[in-house]
Each structure stands twice: as structure tokens, then as C-alpha cells.
Amino acid sequence: MERETHEQFPEGYKWVVMAIVSIATMMATLDSSIVNVSIPAIMADFGVGIDDIEWTMTGYMLAFATLMPLTGWLRDRIGYRNIFIASLFIFTLGSVLCGFAWNLQSLIGARVIQAFGGGALMPTGMAMITEVFPQKERGKAMGIWGIGIIAGPAIGPTLGGYLTNYFGWRSIFLVNLPVGIIAFMAAYEMLMKDKPHKIVKRPFDFWGFSFLLVFLVTILLGMSKGQKEGWFSPFILTCFILSFLSFIGFLLVELHIDNKIVDLDLFKYPVFTIAAIISVVRSIGLFGGTFLIPLFVQQQMGYNELQSGLMMLPAALFMALLFPFVGRMSDKVGPMVPSVIGLFLMAASLFAYKTINLNTSVWDIIYPMLIRSLGMALLMAPVTAASMNAIPQSKIGMASSMNSIIQQVGASLGIAFFATSLSTRASYHIGVLSQGIKTGTSPLYHAVNSTMKYAYSGGAVYSQEAGVAAHAHSAGITYLHAASVAKMDIFTRAIKSAMVMSFQDAFMVGAFIVALAIPIAFFLPKEVVLRHGSSKNKPETVTNVIVNE
């Protein structure tokens, strides 16, 4: 059995690493969502439309994902400490440049620089924590580290709404400056120097990286622009064709060379593969939900950015409180049980929004997010710890990079999928309701039309339609004109109803997708499995997990 890396470090050093890594990675993940609520303010300041401003998010997402595979190769050359410190510097520099951006193009460029730093922080931080903590404590460690990883994107809208409301949109970037300086100084002074991997002169996998870069860029570009361009437009079809061809090229290269940018042999370990599938579904559920809720409460219910962000805050705090306890629990009971329960709770939280409407109370919006937080807490630490424990120590750096890529792609797929679902179902419902209005068979049409007639004849029905018709009557407008006004009101309400129903459908489909992963989670080990197939309770008898060098 290989010697545990954590034995090389002094007592208490692991918590120093945990503190520094948690601060840095939370800062990086926070910026993945803090911008969303500030988009209208940035658009107004630069005088641009949504088609242009979306690149402040897409550019960050693409750069974030494409740098992750490089961390394994860089680790072999310069070590984790140097990667981590350099990434902190680049991220903080990018944040400052964002805060002083003079136009949209400079902001997008600064966001890409920011993402180059942030993209390396997460896989490097995960690998550093895995190295300094023993296997029996990694569930707890991942639980503590996961507070920042998951809570960062969750509290981003609240913090972004507050900062934008009171200090302007530039403050959401400049707030990273003092935190980044503190983290940089702490990392430089307190992190021990590490030695590069024994294979320090392996050549750079240029073709593998190039194919992977093209694959990630084109698939994320296609998913992010598909809603605007149309899923069968030449541009989107070209993106997907290029992504498919580059993925095939990537596989052919990686399967026939020794020094790989991404080690596909990781998927030979069943637990790692299962954990990867669950991570994708988890990211779809999390980022899809955090994408839909702010849209609904702001666009449909009329709440502002700060109010919608505050609605998401209780769930973020609840999840942060749960993570350390769930991490310790996963060290004792194994990943299967908490993962199954976590997926079930995530599916239930999305299903709870099946009847969401304009009259839904604030509590009915918040409590499903609390359920989702419990599910996320049960999923994060056990699945991450299981995937890291399922592979040899020598492959941890590559595995952590792959884990981060998987989560990023899953998040992108989740946002694109829910956006597509909203558009498709809204078009469907608008078509059905409009047809009913034109033929006079819509229940909405009959309700409004009869109310309008009653009000016009002098009845005392108190409703918006009655008010419109009564006002038209008192102003001397004929019944035909009043009917035209009422019919326009019907169409307006039909569109509003269609949008509400499209949100309901999107939540239902999301719940179904998350539920599909529940049977897969049953294939995770029931016990805490350490490396090389050893188990806490049955060191030599675990047969459902294959972990061999």
C-alpha cells in the first residue's frame, strides 16, 4: 500500500491548507453567480443589449473550463503551491481589471483573465486538501471545503444585489481585492513548498489539449447560444459538429499516447465513473434551480434583485451549516445512502415547484430550496470523497481536474437545458391559449368576456376586467371598442399564464432528470472504502469497488 502523503506534514498543517484553500475557492465560485443580478446595471452603463452582455458570463465559463485540464501537467512541472499562488494573483488582477473596465470588450477580456485564475484554483485546491488529509477524514474535509464551493454560487445573487444596489456594479468585482491580497499573502507565507511529480519532463500533450479545448469551447458555446440562434441554425449545428469531431479526435489522441492532458483511465475505476455521472446531475439540478428561481420571482412576480437574492439566502446558510456534519457522517456510513437520499431530496425540491404561480407565497418559494440544500449537502462530500478515494494517490491531481471540468460542464448543460425548456414550453402554451382565444373556446376568454359584458351593463363586479370595461363605458367608448380592449387584456394574460406554465414544466422535467440518477447511486459502495479496496469495517472483503494500481 502506498504511503499516505499526509504523513509528511506537521500536525495542524492540514487545517492551514483548508483555511487558505476554502477562502480562495469560495471567492472564485462566488464570481460565477454574483454577476447575474448586476447584468441590467452593466447593460445600462455600457449601453449594450443582452446579446452582447451575456459574454461576460459565457467568456468566464469557457475560460474557467478550458484551463482546468492544464493543472495536472503544471503540477508535474512546478508543484501545487506555485500553481495556487499564481492562480490567486491572476484571479485578483482580473477582478481589479473588471472593476475598472471602460467598455464591454474590456470587461469581457478581464472576465477571461479572472477565469484563468479561478479555473485553476478549484482543482488545485481539491488536490491539495486530498493530499494533506488522511483517507478516513476526507469526507469531513470535503464537507468543510464544500461550504465555499456550493455556498459561494448560492449567496452570490444576494451579495451581488446588495452591492449593486448600494455601491454600484463595479463593487462586485472590487470586493475581491482585499480578500485576494489576504489569501495571496497567507498562501505565500504559510504553504509548504512541494516537490514536482516524479515525471517532471513529460512533454505537453498539445494535440490532446487542442482537441479538448475545441470540444469544450464549441459545446459550451452551442449550449449557451442555442436559445438565441436556434438549435437547428447553421451556427449551432456547426458548433455541435465541431464539438463531436474534436471529441473523437481527443479520444483517439488520448488513447494512443503516454503523457495525456486528461487521463481517461480514470473511468476504469467504477466508483469514479459513477461519481462523475452523479456530479453532472447534481450540477444540473443546482445551477438549473438557481437559474430559474431568480428569473421567475423577478420577471413574473415583480421582485427586485436584492429581494430575490434574499429569498435564496436561507438555503445557502442552511447548506453551509449542514456540510461539516454530513462530511463526518459520510466518513462513517459510506457514500451510497447519503447520495441516494440527496438525489431524492433534490428531485423533490424541484417537484415542489410544479404549481408555482403569481400568488405563490415567499415561504413556498423558500422551503423547496431548503430541501434542495439538504440534498446538496448529502451529495457533495460523500460523492467527492468517494471519487477521490477510488483512485491511486498518483492520479489525484488529474482526477481533481477532471472532477472540476465535469461539474462545470454539468452546470452549463443545466442552464442551457432549463433555458431551452422554458422557451419551448412557453411557445407551446402560448400557441394553445392563443388558438383558444381566437376560436372563443378558451376558458380565459369566456371568463374575461363575460365579466366585461356584466360591467358594461352596469353590474358591480370588482375585477381588473370589470374596471377596464366600466371605464370604457363611462368614457363613451362603444361596446365593440371595449371588447377590443378586453381581448388585448386576454392576450396579455395568456402570455403571462403561458410563461408561468413553462416554469412549472421546466421544474417538473428537472425533477425527472435528477430522479433518473437515483438508481445509479445505488451502485456506490455502502461502506467507507479506502484506497486499494480496503474498507473501514472489512479491510479485505470489499468487492463492489475496484481500486487497484
Side-chain angles (χ1 to χ4, degrees), residues 199-221:
I199 308 175
V200 295
K201 293 185 178 181
R202 65 186 179 101
F204 179 64
D205 179 13
F206 174 79
W207 286 109
F209 177 75
S210 299
F211 279 126
L212 181 61
L213 178 64
V214 173
F215 167 67
L216 289 174
V217 170
T218 51
I219 193 171
L220 292 178
L221 186 62

mmCIF file of all heavy atoms in Angstrom, residues 199-221:
data_model
loop_
_atom_site.group_PDB
_atom_site.id
_atom_site.type_symbol
_atom_site.label_atom_id
_atom_site.label_comp_id
_atom_site.label_asym_id
_atom_site.label_seq_id
_atom_site.Cartn_x
_atom_site.Cartn_y
_atom_site.Cartn_z
ATOM 1 N N ILE A 199 7.562 12.459 -12.610
ATOM 2 C CA ILE A 199 7.673 12.589 -14.071
ATOM 3 C C ILE A 199 7.646 14.083 -14.389
ATOM 4 O O ILE A 199 6.594 14.646 -14.689
ATOM 5 C CB ILE A 199 6.526 11.859 -14.790
ATOM 6 C CG1 ILE A 199 6.411 10.420 -14.317
ATOM 7 C CG2 ILE A 199 6.704 11.902 -16.298
ATOM 8 C CD1 ILE A 199 5.227 9.668 -14.896
ATOM 9 N N VAL A 200 8.769 14.740 -14.266
ATOM 10 C CA VAL A 200 8.794 16.196 -14.350
ATOM 11 C C VAL A 200 9.048 16.704 -15.768
ATOM 12 O O VAL A 200 8.884 17.881 -16.032
ATOM 13 C CB VAL A 200 9.875 16.769 -13.395
ATOM 14 C CG1 VAL A 200 9.511 16.466 -11.977
ATOM 15 C CG2 VAL A 200 11.256 16.207 -13.732
ATOM 16 N N LYS A 201 9.476 15.841 -16.677
ATOM 17 C CA LYS A 201 9.839 16.316 -18.002
ATOM 18 C C LYS A 201 8.961 15.714 -19.087
ATOM 19 O O LYS A 201 9.361 15.640 -20.243
ATOM 20 C CB LYS A 201 11.312 16.014 -18.291
ATOM 21 C CG LYS A 201 12.261 16.796 -17.405
ATOM 22 C CD LYS A 201 13.711 16.558 -17.794
ATOM 23 C CE LYS A 201 14.648 17.378 -16.932
ATOM 24 N NZ LYS A 201 16.071 17.183 -17.296
ATOM 25 N N ARG A 202 7.771 15.260 -18.723
ATOM 26 C CA ARG A 202 6.900 14.702 -19.756
ATOM 27 C C ARG A 202 6.462 15.812 -20.711
ATOM 28 O O ARG A 202 6.182 16.929 -20.296
ATOM 29 C CB ARG A 202 5.687 14.014 -19.130
ATOM 30 C CG ARG A 202 4.732 14.906 -18.375
ATOM 31 C CD ARG A 202 3.671 14.053 -17.694
ATOM 32 N NE ARG A 202 2.729 14.859 -16.914
ATOM 33 C CZ ARG A 202 1.512 15.183 -17.334
ATOM 34 N NH1 ARG A 202 1.096 14.786 -18.522
ATOM 35 N NH2 ARG A 202 0.717 15.901 -16.566
ATOM 36 N N PRO A 203 6.389 15.544 -21.991
ATOM 37 C CA PRO A 203 6.039 16.581 -22.963
ATOM 38 C C PRO A 203 4.583 17.012 -22.815
ATOM 39 O O PRO A 203 3.735 16.263 -22.338
ATOM 40 C CB PRO A 203 6.278 15.887 -24.313
ATOM 41 C CG PRO A 203 6.144 14.425 -24.016
ATOM 42 C CD PRO A 203 6.668 14.244 -22.623
ATOM 43 N N PHE A 204 4.340 18.217 -23.253
ATOM 44 C CA PHE A 204 2.986 18.748 -23.207
ATOM 45 C C PHE A 204 2.136 18.104 -24.295
ATOM 46 O O PHE A 204 2.541 18.025 -25.464
ATOM 47 C CB PHE A 204 3.015 20.262 -23.387
ATOM 48 C CG PHE A 204 1.652 20.894 -23.380
ATOM 49 C CD1 PHE A 204 0.852 20.855 -22.258
ATOM 50 C CD2 PHE A 204 1.166 21.527 -24.520
ATOM 51 C CE1 PHE A 204 -0.406 21.439 -22.259
ATOM 52 C CE2 PHE A 204 -0.083 22.111 -24.537
ATOM 53 C CZ PHE A 204 -0.869 22.068 -23.394
ATOM 54 N N ASP A 205 0.954 17.639 -23.935
ATOM 55 C CA ASP A 205 0.033 16.990 -24.876
ATOM 56 C C ASP A 205 -0.703 18.067 -25.670
ATOM 57 O O ASP A 205 -1.856 18.391 -25.391
ATOM 58 C CB ASP A 205 -0.934 16.097 -24.089
ATOM 59 C CG ASP A 205 -1.943 15.394 -24.987
ATOM 60 O OD1 ASP A 205 -1.742 15.402 -26.220
ATOM 61 O OD2 ASP A 205 -2.928 14.855 -24.452
ATOM 62 N N PHE A 206 -0.006 18.597 -26.686
ATOM 63 C CA PHE A 206 -0.565 19.717 -27.439
ATOM 64 C C PHE A 206 -1.847 19.332 -28.172
ATOM 65 O O PHE A 206 -2.859 20.038 -28.109
ATOM 66 C CB PHE A 206 0.474 20.233 -28.441
ATOM 67 C CG PHE A 206 -0.058 21.288 -29.372
ATOM 68 C CD1 PHE A 206 -0.202 22.599 -28.952
ATOM 69 C CD2 PHE A 206 -0.449 20.955 -30.674
ATOM 70 C CE1 PHE A 206 -0.712 23.568 -29.803
ATOM 71 C CE2 PHE A 206 -0.956 21.926 -31.527
ATOM 72 C CZ PHE A 206 -1.087 23.226 -31.098
ATOM 73 N N TRP A 207 -1.818 18.205 -28.895
ATOM 74 C CA TRP A 207 -2.983 17.824 -29.685
ATOM 75 C C TRP A 207 -4.156 17.416 -28.793
ATOM 76 O O TRP A 207 -5.311 17.758 -29.088
ATOM 77 C CB TRP A 207 -2.633 16.698 -30.649
ATOM 78 C CG TRP A 207 -1.801 17.159 -31.800
ATOM 79 C CD1 TRP A 207 -0.483 16.899 -32.036
ATOM 80 C CD2 TRP A 207 -2.236 18.014 -32.860
ATOM 81 N NE1 TRP A 207 -0.065 17.517 -33.177
ATOM 82 C CE2 TRP A 207 -1.112 18.218 -33.711
ATOM 83 C CE3 TRP A 207 -3.443 18.633 -33.174
ATOM 84 C CZ2 TRP A 207 -1.186 19.004 -34.850
ATOM 85 C CZ3 TRP A 207 -3.513 19.420 -34.317
ATOM 86 C CH2 TRP A 207 -2.410 19.591 -35.136
ATOM 87 N N GLY A 208 -3.867 16.722 -27.718
ATOM 88 C CA GLY A 208 -4.946 16.367 -26.804
ATOM 89 C C GLY A 208 -5.589 17.590 -26.195
ATOM 90 O O GLY A 208 -6.822 17.698 -26.129
ATOM 91 N N PHE A 209 -4.757 18.551 -25.764
ATOM 92 C CA PHE A 209 -5.298 19.786 -25.187
ATOM 93 C C PHE A 209 -6.070 20.590 -26.226
ATOM 94 O O PHE A 209 -7.131 21.148 -25.935
ATOM 95 C CB PHE A 209 -4.170 20.629 -24.603
ATOM 96 C CG PHE A 209 -4.630 21.953 -24.059
ATOM 97 C CD1 PHE A 209 -5.306 22.028 -22.852
ATOM 98 C CD2 PHE A 209 -4.390 23.118 -24.765
ATOM 99 C CE1 PHE A 209 -5.730 23.246 -22.358
ATOM 100 C CE2 PHE A 209 -4.817 24.339 -24.276
ATOM 101 C CZ PHE A 209 -5.491 24.407 -23.064
ATOM 102 N N SER A 210 -5.532 20.658 -27.454
ATOM 103 C CA SER A 210 -6.202 21.428 -28.510
ATOM 104 C C SER A 210 -7.573 20.845 -28.836
ATOM 105 O O SER A 210 -8.565 21.582 -28.955
ATOM 106 C CB SER A 210 -5.327 21.450 -29.768
ATOM 107 O OG SER A 210 -4.090 22.070 -29.521
ATOM 108 N N PHE A 211 -7.638 19.521 -28.996
ATOM 109 C CA PHE A 211 -8.941 18.896 -29.264
ATOM 110 C C PHE A 211 -9.903 19.108 -28.098
ATOM 111 O O PHE A 211 -11.093 19.379 -28.298
ATOM 112 C CB PHE A 211 -8.759 17.403 -29.531
ATOM 113 C CG PHE A 211 -8.327 17.082 -30.935
ATOM 114 C CD1 PHE A 211 -7.192 16.315 -31.174
ATOM 115 C CD2 PHE A 211 -9.059 17.536 -32.022
ATOM 116 C CE1 PHE A 211 -6.782 16.020 -32.471
ATOM 117 C CE2 PHE A 211 -8.669 17.240 -33.323
ATOM 118 C CZ PHE A 211 -7.521 16.482 -33.547
ATOM 119 N N LEU A 212 -9.395 18.968 -26.874
ATOM 120 C CA LEU A 212 -10.258 19.173 -25.707
ATOM 121 C C LEU A 212 -10.726 20.617 -25.623
ATOM 122 O O LEU A 212 -11.893 20.880 -25.298
ATOM 123 C CB LEU A 212 -9.507 18.780 -24.435
ATOM 124 C CG LEU A 212 -10.296 18.916 -23.126
ATOM 125 C CD1 LEU A 212 -11.531 18.022 -23.144
ATOM 126 C CD2 LEU A 212 -9.417 18.579 -21.929
ATOM 127 N N LEU A 213 -9.837 21.561 -25.918
ATOM 128 C CA LEU A 213 -10.193 22.975 -25.896
ATOM 129 C C LEU A 213 -11.300 23.275 -26.903
ATOM 130 O O LEU A 213 -12.300 23.930 -26.575
ATOM 131 C CB LEU A 213 -8.958 23.825 -26.196
ATOM 132 C CG LEU A 213 -9.161 25.336 -26.267
ATOM 133 C CD1 LEU A 213 -9.605 25.879 -24.926
ATOM 134 C CD2 LEU A 213 -7.878 26.022 -26.721
ATOM 135 N N VAL A 214 -11.132 22.765 -28.123
ATOM 136 C CA VAL A 214 -12.153 22.995 -29.150
ATOM 137 C C VAL A 214 -13.476 22.351 -28.744
ATOM 138 O O VAL A 214 -14.553 22.936 -28.920
ATOM 139 C CB VAL A 214 -11.682 22.451 -30.511
ATOM 140 C CG1 VAL A 214 -12.803 22.532 -31.546
ATOM 141 C CG2 VAL A 214 -10.466 23.221 -30.994
ATOM 142 N N PHE A 215 -13.393 21.129 -28.192
ATOM 143 C CA PHE A 215 -14.605 20.442 -27.756
ATOM 144 C C PHE A 215 -15.357 21.248 -26.696
ATOM 145 O O PHE A 215 -16.568 21.478 -26.806
ATOM 146 C CB PHE A 215 -14.254 19.061 -27.217
ATOM 147 C CG PHE A 215 -15.369 18.394 -26.460
ATOM 148 C CD1 PHE A 215 -16.529 17.984 -27.113
ATOM 149 C CD2 PHE A 215 -15.281 18.194 -25.093
ATOM 150 C CE1 PHE A 215 -17.570 17.379 -26.419
ATOM 151 C CE2 PHE A 215 -16.308 17.596 -24.384
ATOM 152 C CZ PHE A 215 -17.460 17.187 -25.056
ATOM 153 N N LEU A 216 -14.635 21.679 -25.644
ATOM 154 C CA LEU A 216 -15.293 22.412 -24.560
ATOM 155 C C LEU A 216 -15.850 23.749 -25.030
ATOM 156 O O LEU A 216 -16.978 24.125 -24.697
ATOM 157 C CB LEU A 216 -14.304 22.625 -23.411
ATOM 158 C CG LEU A 216 -13.918 21.391 -22.607
ATOM 159 C CD1 LEU A 216 -12.827 21.725 -21.603
ATOM 160 C CD2 LEU A 216 -15.134 20.811 -21.882
ATOM 161 N N VAL A 217 -15.057 24.468 -25.819
ATOM 162 C CA VAL A 217 -15.499 25.783 -26.288
ATOM 163 C C VAL A 217 -16.728 25.660 -27.178
ATOM 164 O O VAL A 217 -17.719 26.385 -27.009
ATOM 165 C CB VAL A 217 -14.367 26.508 -27.030
ATOM 166 C CG1 VAL A 217 -14.897 27.757 -27.736
ATOM 167 C CG2 VAL A 217 -13.259 26.890 -26.053
ATOM 168 N N THR A 218 -16.692 24.723 -28.132
ATOM 169 C CA THR A 218 -17.809 24.622 -29.073
ATOM 170 C C THR A 218 -19.075 24.082 -28.424
ATOM 171 O O THR A 218 -20.176 24.560 -28.722
ATOM 172 C CB THR A 218 -17.429 23.737 -30.279
ATOM 173 O OG1 THR A 218 -16.901 22.484 -29.805
ATOM 174 C CG2 THR A 218 -16.401 24.430 -31.143
ATOM 175 N N ILE A 219 -18.940 23.102 -27.521
ATOM 176 C CA ILE A 219 -20.154 22.570 -26.911
ATOM 177 C C ILE A 219 -20.773 23.575 -25.949
ATOM 178 O O ILE A 219 -22.004 23.756 -25.910
ATOM 179 C CB ILE A 219 -19.902 21.219 -26.207
ATOM 180 C CG1 ILE A 219 -21.245 20.558 -25.874
ATOM 181 C CG2 ILE A 219 -19.056 21.397 -24.941
ATOM 182 C CD1 ILE A 219 -21.104 19.137 -25.367
ATOM 183 N N LEU A 220 -19.927 24.290 -25.183
ATOM 184 C CA LEU A 220 -20.470 25.304 -24.274
ATOM 185 C C LEU A 220 -20.995 26.505 -25.050
ATOM 186 O O LEU A 220 -22.010 27.102 -24.665
ATOM 187 C CB LEU A 220 -19.403 25.740 -23.273
ATOM 188 C CG LEU A 220 -18.982 24.688 -22.250
ATOM 189 C CD1 LEU A 220 -17.880 25.242 -21.345
ATOM 190 C CD2 LEU A 220 -20.163 24.243 -21.401
ATOM 191 N N LEU A 221 -20.314 26.855 -26.135
ATOM 192 C CA LEU A 221 -20.807 27.941 -26.975
ATOM 193 C C LEU A 221 -22.137 27.571 -27.603
ATOM 194 O O LEU A 221 -23.072 28.386 -27.646
ATOM 195 C CB LEU A 221 -19.772 28.255 -28.053
ATOM 196 C CG LEU A 221 -20.049 29.473 -28.945
ATOM 197 C CD1 LEU A 221 -20.083 30.737 -28.123
ATOM 198 C CD2 LEU A 221 -18.988 29.581 -30.042
#
